[in-house]
Amino acid sequence: MKLDLSPTSWGRVIAVTAAGTAFFIAVAFFVDSFNFPYLSPQALWHAQLTDLLLPLGLGGSFLFFLMWKIRQLAIAQRDLSVIAATDSLTAVLNRGAFSMLVEAYLEQTRKQEDTRSGALLIIDADHFKSINDRLGHDCGDQALRLIAQAIKGQLRGSDIVGRIGGEEFGVFLPGVDPSQSWLVAEGIRRRIREMDFSPGGRACPLSVSIGGTSFSGPTTYEAIFSAADRRLYAAKSNGRDQVSFDPAEAALVSQSSAATVH
């Protein structure tokens, strides 16, 4: 089993404390060793015991306390990073963190020789303004949380989801083909459509419109976002509560982006 030596782990605290204490003991024995030949057996025993216990007690305690505080700071920094990247209402990534992670993945595809595919979905809650107007913003917030949960429930561990607008969510699906992407999008749409949302006992059906595009090969976040946004506009123009996914357009996006990159 591999020892976890990350800044937030107890393994790092214990390892540094043990190694540092051993170093202090070794130094104490080395410095005092020049006096050992001149000491009586009893004095030698006391000197060696001192060289062992003093660094062990003082150095070990100091190192443990220091590493413990460093671990606490690392945990606090990690938590702050998570908070900074998370939308506080829906507990998914915020727009900045979402776009940064997607662009990082796409950057890797541009550097690697093997072709990598994926898809981007933009999900927009239908008639969301009317929910806020009729039921209040608290109910609107509750609806957004339910939609976010439904989206996450349809995704794999490697997929990325973020809130990219007031009632808009983005989903990035690395390593999938267009047919798989459409199935995920349709699964999200159906799950949200079938949810029971009845604030205050008043039934309020939820639905979403989804625009999607896929890519195969080098592309950019801006290119696939624009393509998915056009498909979202088509889904809303055609009556909402539907998925508009155009693999043909996605192929053109990837080709034009590849030409730009190279």
Side-chain angles (χ1 to χ4, degrees), residues 96-116:
F98 176 80
S99 61
M100 182 180 67
L101 287 177
V102 174
E103 184 55 52
Y105 177 89
L106 296 175
E107 179 68 23
Q108 285 298 111
T109 68
R110 293 195 288 268
K111 293 178 180 178
Q112 296 176 358
E113 295 182 0
D114 58 320
T115 301
R116 303 180 70 177

Side-chain angles (χ1 to χ4, degrees), residues 39-116:
L39 300 177
S40 65
Q42 185 176 4
L44 177 61
W45 183 82
H46 279 292
Q48 291 175 336
L49 191 63
T50 301
D51 291 341
L52 175 65
L53 295 181
L54 193 62
L56 187 64
L58 295 180
S61 299
F62 171 76
L63 279 175
F64 180 81
F65 177 76
L66 178 63
M67 294 306 300
W68 175 58
K69 297 302 289 184
I70 290 175
R71 176 178 177 269
Q72 285 185 318
L73 288 173
I75 292 174
Q77 185 178 26
R78 180 197 63 190
D79 292 345
L80 285 174
S81 299
V82 172
I83 292 172
T86 303
D87 175 62
S88 59
L89 177 63
T90 58
V92 298
L93 294 175
N94 58 33
R95 184 186 183 98
F98 176 80
S99 61
M100 182 180 67
L101 287 177
V102 174
E103 184 55 52
Y105 177 89
L106 296 175
E107 179 68 23
Q108 285 298 111
T109 68
R110 293 195 288 268
K111 293 178 180 178
Q112 296 176 358
E113 295 182 0
D114 58 320
T115 301
R116 303 180 70 177

Side-chain angles (χ1 to χ4, degrees), residues 98-99 102-103 106 120 164 219-226:
F98 176 80
S99 61
V102 174
E103 184 55 52
L106 296 175
L120 177 70
I164 58 176
T219 187
T220 64
Y221 176 71
E222 291 78 9
I224 58 174
F225 185 89
S226 296

Side-chain angles (χ1 to χ4, degrees), residues 157-246:
S158 59
D159 299 332
I160 304 172
V161 56
R163 185 183 177 196
I164 58 176
E167 63 272 10
E168 257 187 10
F169 296 86
V171 172
F172 184 69
L173 307 169
V176 298
D177 60 35
S179 61
Q180 292 173 317
S181 306
W182 188 89
L183 289 174
V184 172
E186 181 61 15
I188 291 172
R189 186 197 68 80
R190 288 181 180 230
R191 181 161 183 165
I192 293 171
R193 186 60 173 164
E194 294 167 358
M195 284 193 310
D196 179 22
F197 180 56
S198 304
R202 292 178 293 177
C204 181
L206 297 176
S207 68
V208 293
S209 300
I210 303 177
T213 188
S214 64
F215 67 91
S216 178
T219 187
T220 64
Y221 176 71
E222 291 78 9
I224 58 174
F225 185 89
S226 296
D229 196 47
R230 286 193 294 271
R231 302 319 308 165
L232 174 64
Y233 180 80
K236 298 182 82 68
S237 298
N238 292 334
R240 295 182 169 85
D241 189 21
Q242 60 183 269
V243 175
S244 178
F245 196 93
D246 191 350

